[in-house]
Amino acid sequence: MFYRARLQAAAALASLSLLAGCGLLSDSGSEADQKIVVGTTSEPSTLDPAAAWDNSWELMRNVFQTLVSFPTGSTSPEPDAAESCTFTDRTSTAYRCTIKQGLKFSNGDELDAEAVKYSIDRILTIKVKGGPVGLLGSLDRVETVGDNKVVFHLNKPDATFPFVLATPAMSLVAPSDYPKDEVRTDGKVTGSGPYLLDTYVPGDRAELVKNQNYKGFANRKNNAVTIRYFKGSAPMVDALQKNAIDATYRGLTAEEVVKLEDNKDKNSTLQLIETVGADIRFLVFNPEDPAAGNPAVRRAIAQLVDRDALVAKVYQGTAEPLYSMVPKGIAGHTTSFFDNFGDPDKEKARQILVKAGITEPVAMTFWFTTDRYGSSTAPEFDELKRQLEASGLFKIALKSAPWKTFQAGFTKGDYPVFGRGWFPDFPDPDNFIAPFVGKDTVTGMPYVKNEITQQLLPQSRQQSDRGAVSKQFERAQKILVDDVRLLPLWQGKLYVAAGEDIGGGERALDPQTVMQMWELYRKASW
């Protein structure tokens, strides 16, 4: 799901690249050779956009279209399936898009205004818990005007709405293949994106082939892409080193990144491309749990967690401590948790608990997912457990589950405390606050804070200048600190590791840090 300073522009991507062989015949090489294999530890949880508010977007961006999107280098949404889009009023409550003529889905159906309305309406109808319906809180209704125009009528001013439409959750689907009131579950995709999903084997691979009827902004530099899904980073890196895959995305451990960096000047056949990121990791506390629901327990944990030690021991410089839900590089970033709690302090934490009448070690269970955020997740939770238990104030049990099981568990409220990652939907502070508050949240649990949802967010969404909303988001972060329902831990960097003959890695990540597979190509030597 994804960012960051780079959010300001995909141009902030920093590339460490190697030259191949004696020279290049062309940037893209012969078309017949343009078949790229990418490895990742991030398997989709669903193939239906109406249910996707997670890293399933990585596949969806490549097989679906949205009305507007983020072409490489853009800092704001630009037309994709749309010919043009604009607000039609000064209050940012009506957004009109004109759809390109002649667009078709892969099953031959027309991609027209009715299809657009159907695609968005079914998100609201199905209303998957923890799904992308949470992005559409400002949408009142979708109106069609003729065959090629749609108007999104908003129930309140929302200058961020074009950013929402650019997310893969708003992918356009063929009405004849997608039920209007339930998620599609046959393992197939009917889209109009740069690629067609030729084969999908859960837990193994997705085979993408060029969509010959595609009409959009993507300049495809390859003919086909295979995405291989790995259960851990070690076999993925091994496959890269053995040339079984061409590139990796998501899942490298800090140790692997450091090793690749150390080897980059030692005749290594691999390259490492670093993206300045704003993906974040945080703990979520279940307010219905007897322990986690106690504000004093949450504040004591916030007083004890040593982010510097966590980052140093587990992530070795590939991440940095985070003291607010809005990361560095995004307007409105603060250090509110540090301002409130300061450095880790066992005695202060003990006093917080004693004041609440808690004098015995608090027993709690922390959950994490084994296959979503990379192999460093388990060591991260080991370190959190060590820190909390070293205080003598907590007794922590750790449990884990694969993402699909984990997601089902936290959306049902089964976990007292669990770890989540957030890859921004779009580069704006709104997207680091709004998804976590309200009746429908990405954590699967309601978090009703009227000051945020009824005052601060509406005020900020009236501002088309997104750099002028810091005041509202600084206040929102102060509210989150007071509650400690969410505890930010760190923000990371993203890395693409690739063979030296692979080009385009520095352009492959869009402002949502979703990989645009069409940018990758194989260099051709003399």
Side-chain angles (χ1 to χ4, degrees):
M1 183 215 262
F2 320 146
Y3 305 108
R4 346 327 183 169
R6 159 193 66 45
L7 290 180
Q8 299 280 325
L13 294 173
S15 167
L16 302 173
S17 58
L18 300 176
L19 297 177
C22 302
L24 299 182
L25 182 61
S26 69
D27 275 349
S28 58
S30 64
E31 197 168 281
D33 292 331
Q34 294 309 306
K35 297 180 180 179
I36 306 296
V37 183
V38 178
T40 180
T41 61
S42 182
E43 180 187 356
S45 63
T46 178
L47 299 184
D48 190 333
W53 202 358
D54 58 21
N55 290 345
S56 301
W57 286 9
E58 294 167 10
L59 177 60
M60 292 176 185
R61 173 60 75 208
N62 293 277
V63 296
F64 291 107
Q65 279 184 290
T66 45
L67 285 171
V68 291
S69 190
F70 288 100
T72 300
S74 66
T75 58
S76 60
E78 298 180 17
D80 186 8
E83 188 71 40
S84 63
C85 289
T86 185
F87 280 107
T88 62
D89 61 350
R90 294 182 179 180
T91 59
S92 299
T93 57
Y95 192 68
R96 182 178 63 197
C97 292
T98 300
I99 303 163
K100 290 178 180 176
Q101 296 286 345
L103 295 182
K104 292 183 180 294
F105 293 104
S106 56
N107 66 354
D109 289 356
E110 299 285 342
L111 196 169
D112 55 14
E114 285 295 335
V116 172
K117 175 177 169 58
Y118 185 92
S119 298
I120 305 302
D121 281 351
R122 67 187 295 267
I123 298 174
L124 298 171
T125 300
I126 299 172
K127 201 176 182 179
V128 172
K129 190 174 184 180
V133 66
L135 291 168
L136 294 174
S138 64
L139 179 62
D140 180 46
R141 60 187 175 91
V142 185
E143 175 191 10
T144 62
V145 181
D147 292 335
N148 71 329
K149 289 183 175 63
V150 290
V151 181
F152 299 92
H153 296 278
L154 308 182
N155 52 38
K156 52 194 170 186
D158 188 359
T160 71
F161 189 73
F163 291 82
V164 172
L165 285 183
T167 67
M170 305 300 138
S171 294
L172 306 177
V173 300
S176 63
D177 284 349
Y178 287 81
K180 68 178 181 179
D181 55 2
E182 62 183 10
V183 174
R184 183 178 181 179
T185 58
D186 64 358
K188 297 181 180 179
V189 162
T190 310
S192 59
Y195 298 97
L196 306 177
L197 181 61
D198 185 61
T199 303
Y200 179 69
V201 181
D204 183 27
R205 70 189 188 281
E207 301 277 359
L208 311 183
V209 297
K210 183 183 288 187
N211 180 2
Q212 300 298 337
N213 297 316
Y214 169 69
K215 296 179 181 179
F217 72 86
N219 178 19
R220 293 163 296 183
K221 298 177 181 178
N222 57 63
N223 271 352
V225 176
T226 296
I227 305 173
R228 286 187 54 189
Y229 301 113
F230 292 85
K231 297 300 183 184
S233 61
M236 181 174 69
V237 173
D238 183 61
L240 179 66
Q241 292 172 331
K242 293 179 178 177
N243 297 319
I245 61 176
D246 298 306
T248 70
Y249 177 53
R250 294 208 194 279
L252 291 175
T253 65
E255 291 83 2
E256 289 158 347
V257 169
V258 170
K259 185 176 180 180
L260 287 167
E261 286 180 328
D262 289 343
N263 289 336
K264 67 178 182 290
D265 295 323
K266 299 178 182 178
N267 299 317
S268 172
T269 59
L270 300 178
Q271 57 176 311
L272 186 68
I273 300 161
E274 176 185 309
T275 301
V276 178
D279 61 307
I280 66 174
R281 296 294 186 276
F282 54 96
L283 294 178
V284 182
F285 295 92
N286 187 341
E288 302 301 321
D289 179 76
N294 188 328
V297 171
R298 302 197 298 265
R299 286 196 293 269
I301 291 174
Q303 186 64 70
L304 287 170
V305 169
D306 188 338
R307 294 169 176 82
D308 287 329
L310 179 68
V311 168
K313 291 182 179 180
V314 180
Y315 291 100
Q316 302 180 43
T318 62
E320 57 184 314
L322 180 64
Y323 295 95
S324 73
M325 290 298 288
V326 178
K328 289 182 180 179
I330 301 296
H333 166 73
T334 70
T335 56
S336 48
F337 271 88
F338 183 83
D339 298 340
N340 196 73
F341 292 98
D343 292 322
D345 191 310
K346 171 184 172 180
E347 182 56 29
K348 287 183 179 180
R350 187 188 68 80
Q351 291 173 4
I352 291 172
L353 293 174
V354 170
K355 187 176 181 180
I358 301 172
T359 57
E360 297 295 325
V362 181
M364 304 183 76
T365 300
F366 283 26
W367 282 81
F368 63 91
T369 181
T370 56
D371 59 352
R372 175 60 44 168
Y373 307 123
S375 300
S376 295
T377 307
E380 174 182 343
F381 274 77
D382 286 339
E383 173 61 15
L384 288 171
K385 172 183 169 71
R386 185 198 67 77
Q387 291 182 12
L388 296 177
E389 292 189 340
S391 71
L393 302 175
F394 289 91
K395 183 64 178 177
I396 305 299
L398 298 180
K399 292 188 178 182
S400 61
W403 174 254
K404 289 185 179 180
T405 303
F406 180 77
Q407 184 181 44
F410 72 68
T411 54
K412 290 189 296 183
D414 290 346
Y415 304 153
V417 185
F418 58 94
R420 278 297 310 268
W422 183 244
F423 302 89
D425 306 316
F426 50 85
D428 191 277
D430 186 288
N431 196 235
F432 291 91
I433 301 294
F436 306 105
V437 293
K439 294 181 180 179
D440 297 301
T441 72
V442 72
T443 66
M445 293 181 295
Y447 182 15
V448 178
K449 298 301 295 185
N450 290 337
E451 183 180 353
I452 296 178
T453 57
Q454 297 181 18
Q455 297 180 39
L456 300 175
L457 290 177
Q459 289 171 9
S460 72
R461 288 170 178 173
Q462 295 179 35
Q463 293 282 349
S464 58
D465 179 3
R466 301 309 294 164
V469 295
S470 295
K471 182 178 179 181
Q472 289 87 355
F473 288 105
E474 288 170 3
R475 172 57 186 158
Q477 291 171 85
K478 178 62 169 62
I479 293 171
L480 297 183
V481 171
D482 291 342
D483 288 345
V484 197
R485 285 277 300 275
L486 306 166
L487 182 63
L489 297 173
W490 56 268
Q491 73 178 85
K493 303 173 184 178
L494 292 176
Y495 296 87
V496 174
E500 64 178 347
D501 63 332
I502 299 300
E506 69 281 0
R507 292 175 54 85
L509 302 182
D510 73 1
Q512 298 154 322
T513 61
V514 173
M515 182 172 272
Q516 301 176 142
M517 299 293 180
W518 57 82
E519 293 287 357
L520 300 176
Y521 63 89
R522 193 178 309 282
K523 301 173 184 178
S525 59
W526 292 104

